[in-house]
Amino acid sequence: MTVVLALWLSKHFQVARLGATLVALAPTVPGAYLAWAAYRDDRRETAADTDAKVKTLAAVVAATETRQRAQLIGPGARRIDITFHQRTEPANNAAGAAAHGRLTDIVSYYQNLRPARLAITGEPGAGKTLLALDLILGLLTHPGRADTDPVPVRFSLAGWNTDRPLQEWLAHQVHQQFRDHGITLADATTLVDRYRVLPVLDGLDEMDTDATPAGRRRAARALEELNAYQDPTGSAPVVLTCRTTQYEALAGLDLRMREAARIQLDDVSPGQAAAYLTARSTSPDRWRSVIDTFTAAPGGTLARSLATLWRLNLAATAYEERHPDTLAYLREPDHLLTLASPGAVRDHLLARYLPAAAHQHPTRPNRYHPDQTHHWLAALAAHLATTAPASTASSADIVLHQLWPMAGPRRVRTADALLAALLALAVTTLFLPQVPIGFSPRQLLGASVTVLAALVTIWQTSHTRVREPQTFQLQRLRNPTHLRQLARTIAIGLPVGLALGLAASGLAFGLAGGVVVELVIVIGLLFGLLFGLAVGLVVVLSEPLKDAPPTDPRHPVRDDLVVGLALGLMVGLALGLVVGLVVGLALGLAGWLYWFSGAGRRYLVFILCVRGRLPWRLGTFLNWSYEGGLLRISGMAYQFRHRELQDWLTAHPTP
């Protein structure tokens, strides 16, 4: 009976407690519903924002790659409808791949693949990049494209440090290329993680040199990453380009892109070559003997030598050059018939390509003499061939703030330290007249601090690595999160600056022979305010350019110097309250330039040390070479238009 009563009481107690709980929670139900509704709306806004970013990305990619394709094709030329054939692998082939295809139907060829993974291989200059560009533009413009389709984005594999995971690297690359169009790093990460970006990876063969041991090749690690790249349906879509020789060498080690269709580009046929040369020339009759030779001997020396898009572009550029005064053609295509071997044709065309491209520059022809251009580009090519570490970096990227070892690492470091010593001496010379000459403990202390700071600066410039360039991210002021971070940083910097200001102003007035307490406090407060503001701007508005470089490879050095000089000016004004305006500005500008503008400063020292081997305005020259078709841009680096041109300049430093 006791047990039954206990169970009855327990049951009713549980019911009562449950009822009380429901009564207590009842007022929170509307709040919970509102919270869930807000979460749902936020998810909808996030999805809408992602769709907007995808549309922005698609528009920018279409415009950029259209210009790139026009540069590759050349003026006045129509596209050659190059053909390709499938190369089946022993296993892991994508389904739906046809045995043959051509440039004009590359979009439908790719869309039939399951999974959508394609490896494009071919000989040097065969048109791998051009085919990839046509695929990108075709996917962006074909009538059946849906808003949910991923945006094909081309990435240069040469700069991928494979210690960084593929998706993380892709996100940073998307941010690098499109940050000026509002794509933040968070946006890029979202787009990559949700597979709204189709990676088109160009240049697997440019990741290593021939001397790199197989076990240390970045290309091998890249293929492993690509094979592990998965989406919810299985192997994620990706497009890859690589030279045939390098891809087959990796395949011989059982390293290839799995679940992919591999295609190989065919040689340009004599008929296609004839059509191309006719389209490029304003006087097609000049090419009649060359075209007749193609037709009569399709397997002959000349036909084999001009069987790629790159070689045809070389020939058209070299033989369309005219005299600047008379407009007469400088050479006739008939000379090609006298060359005995493909190697002779190659060397002949490369030797004449550079001066012809300089004279035919679309905006500023003959700004630089062809011989100078040859010497300067050959020096850069030799530097890439001899100093680029094969295991961790590309031998193709020309990055301005990374060129300083070209002048001799020890020489540049020594010159950098010497310049620091000269600046320290100049600042000390300005500072000494501000204090009475003597040997009191306070004066000796002040002199010791100055000397110690100079010695530390000299050591720092000569022994530490050059930090990555920095830039002002002014758009952060529109972000509430960054505004709160700025306020917190200023709040921390104010008391530190106040303490430094009080100590420095007290020391300065003490060295001058007296201490005015009220003036010390006022100057300390002003110094603290300016110092706190400077620290806040440094932390919040500046960041390394390795995470957000601009699209112009010249800007990293420029932005780094602007950051150093602008913040040095602010610090100099603060110090001017204590030690005088002239001395304060000298201390601020010199100190900030050496402590916070490493990349830009080292570049300036490098230009001084490399005098005679490269032009003073190196960035302007490289941009001129890019506009003239001698170089191309990949991220924050310049690259030679074609690896064959880079190798030829390395072997022929003299025009």
Side-chain angles (χ1 to χ4, degrees):
M1 186 66 177
T2 303
V3 175
V4 173
L5 180 61
L7 290 174
W8 183 85
L9 290 173
S10 174
K11 175 183 176 182
H12 284 75
F13 174 76
Q14 295 290 344
V15 172
R17 187 172 66 175
L18 178 61
T21 301
L22 292 175
V23 171
L25 290 177
T28 68
V29 172
Y33 174 78
L34 291 176
W36 177 82
Y39 170 76
R40 179 193 59 194
D41 294 342
D42 182 67
R43 291 292 298 271
R44 289 176 178 173
E45 291 177 2
T46 301
D49 184 63
T50 301
D51 292 340
K53 297 295 184 184
V54 168
K55 291 181 179 179
T56 299
L57 191 64
V60 175
V61 169
T64 302
E65 299 297 34
T66 297
R67 291 192 297 269
Q68 183 68 30
R69 185 178 65 179
Q71 187 187 47
L72 290 178
I73 294 175
R78 65 177 180 85
R79 291 179 298 163
I80 294 180
D81 194 12
I82 52 179
T83 60
F84 55 84
H85 61 277
Q86 184 195 15
R87 293 288 300 272
T88 57
E89 303 292 352
N92 300 297
N93 294 284
H100 300 277
R102 55 194 325 111
L103 179 72
T104 50
D105 61 14
I106 183 60
V107 173
S108 59
Y109 189 96
Y110 176 74
Q111 290 177 330
N112 288 330
L113 300 180
R114 295 293 182 273
R117 294 164 66 87
L118 178 66
I120 303 172
T121 62
E123 298 303 318
K128 300 180 292 295
T129 300
L130 182 62
L131 185 66
L133 288 174
D134 261 58
L135 176 59
I136 291 172
L137 294 173
L139 289 173
L140 290 174
T141 58
H142 77 92
R145 176 174 174 79
D147 292 339
T148 56
D149 289 347
V151 179
V153 180
R154 186 165 57 96
F155 305 95
S156 174
L157 283 173
W160 178 20
N161 181 351
T162 50
D163 291 337
R164 168 176 281 186
L166 174 63
Q167 288 182 262
E168 179 184 332
W169 177 74
L170 290 175
H172 280 80
Q173 289 294 306
V174 171
H175 175 49
Q176 285 178 0
Q177 295 185 37
F178 307 104
R179 71 173 189 128
D180 292 340
H181 300 278
I183 305 296
T184 66
L185 182 58
D187 294 332
T189 302
T190 299
L191 294 174
V192 171
D193 289 346
R194 296 184 181 180
Y195 303 97
R196 303 298 298 273
V197 170
L198 168 61
V200 180
L201 306 176
D202 195 12
L204 182 71
D205 53 280
E206 295 179 349
M207 299 187 74
D208 308 288
T209 66
D210 294 337
T212 307
R216 298 181 182 178
R217 291 184 181 178
R218 291 187 299 144
R221 175 62 182 160
L223 288 174
E224 293 176 358
E225 286 277 330
L226 290 176
N227 291 334
Y229 183 43
Q230 304 284 319
D231 66 9
T233 64
S235 296
V238 68
V239 178
L240 176 71
T241 74
C242 183
R243 291 186 181 184
T244 299
T245 302
Q246 283 80 353
Y247 194 87
E248 290 183 346
L250 291 167
L253 300 173
D254 291 331
L255 296 170
R256 61 176 69 89
M257 190 163 70
R258 295 176 176 272
E259 303 298 328
R262 177 194 165 192
I263 59 175
Q264 181 165 332
L265 298 180
D266 300 324
D267 289 340
V268 175
S269 69
Q272 291 173 324
Y276 178 86
L277 294 173
T278 300
R280 280 291 299 268
S281 178
T282 54
S283 178
D285 289 342
R286 298 175 57 243
W287 293 92
R288 178 53 51 197
S289 59
V290 173
I291 293 174
D292 290 343
T293 302
F294 283 160
T295 304
T301 297
L302 191 57
R304 290 185 288 112
S305 301
L306 301 181
T308 65
L309 297 179
W310 163 244
R311 293 282 183 82
L312 286 169
N313 177 64
L314 288 179
T317 303
Y319 282 95
E320 290 298 309
E321 183 184 4
R322 300 191 186 197
H323 192 280
D325 297 327
T326 64
L327 297 182
Y329 290 103
L330 296 184
R331 57 189 65 91
E332 291 299 323
D334 292 351
H335 182 72
L336 291 170
L337 304 178
T338 66
L339 303 176
S341 67
V345 175
R346 177 199 63 211
D347 291 342
H348 170 78
L349 293 177
L350 287 169
R352 285 150 185 80
Y353 173 71
L354 192 149
H359 290 153
Q360 299 174 53
H361 195 283
T363 57
R364 291 175 289 181
N366 301 318
R367 173 167 184 174
Y368 299 97
H369 192 275
D371 286 354
Q372 285 183 318
T373 302
H374 186 113
H375 280 298
W376 293 337
L377 291 179
L380 292 170
H383 168 68
L384 295 176
T386 57
T387 62
S391 59
T392 60
S394 165
S395 60
D397 290 345
I398 303 172
V399 183
L400 286 177
H401 65 272
Q402 295 176 359
L403 286 175
W404 62 270
M406 179 179 174
R410 180 174 298 179
R411 180 185 182 189
V412 175
R413 287 194 179 100
T414 302
D416 203 356
L418 179 61
L419 184 58
L422 292 175
L423 283 176
L425 179 61
V427 172
T428 304
T429 304
L430 288 173
F431 180 71
L432 286 178
Q434 308 297 319
V435 298
I437 299 175
F439 297 97
S440 67
R442 288 177 299 180
Q443 292 168 338
L444 290 175
L445 176 62
S448 300
V449 171
T450 304
V451 172
L452 179 62
L455 291 176
V456 171
T457 301
I458 294 172
W459 179 88
Q460 187 260 352
T461 57
S462 60
H463 287 83
T464 57
R465 296 178 59 189
V466 177
R467 62 174 58 90
E468 291 292 333
Q470 299 184 28
T471 185
F472 271 131
Q473 304 290 317
L474 294 178
Q475 66 272 17
R476 291 186 165 199
L477 292 177
R478 298 193 297 267
N479 189 312
T481 301
H482 291 136
L483 286 176
R484 288 192 295 270
Q485 183 185 1
L486 178 62
R488 288 194 300 268
T489 309
I490 292 176
I492 295 173
L494 281 175
V496 176
L498 177 60
L500 292 175
L502 291 173
S505 56
L507 177 62
F509 282 105
L511 292 174
V515 178
V516 182
V517 177
E518 293 82 0
L519 194 57
V520 168
I521 294 175
V522 172
I523 293 177
L525 289 173
L526 291 175
F527 181 86
L529 178 61
L530 290 175
F531 183 84
L533 181 60
V535 171
L537 291 174
V538 169
V539 173
V540 176
L541 297 185
S542 64
E543 68 175 12
L545 270 170
K546 64 181 180 181
D547 291 333
T551 53
D552 192 328
R554 297 173 295 173
H555 288 178
V557 169
R558 182 204 66 182
D559 290 350
D560 191 66
L561 290 172
V562 168
V563 170
L565 293 175
L567 297 179
L569 180 63
M570 295 180 61
V571 174
L573 291 174
L575 291 173
L577 298 172
V578 179
V579 295
L581 184 60
V582 175
V583 178
L585 288 176
L587 285 170
L589 292 175
W592 212 272
L593 180 66
Y594 262 86
W595 283 93
F596 293 95
S597 184
R601 185 200 74 247
R602 183 60 64 87
Y603 170 75
L604 294 179
V605 175
F606 157 70
I607 290 296
L608 292 174
C609 292
V610 81
R611 181 172 55 89
R613 296 174 60 192
L614 292 175
W616 286 108
R617 301 184 64 188
L618 177 58
T620 301
F621 167 70
L622 293 177
N623 195 66
W624 175 87
S625 300
Y626 161 72
E627 292 175 345
L630 298 171
L631 301 177
R632 62 185 181 185
I633 290 178
S634 175
M636 62 190 297
Y638 289 103
Q639 295 178 345
F640 282 92
R641 168 73 177 271
H642 195 276
R643 189 57 180 258
E644 189 175 68
L645 176 62
Q646 177 182 335
D647 295 340
W648 187 84
L649 285 169
T650 303
H652 300 82
T654 303

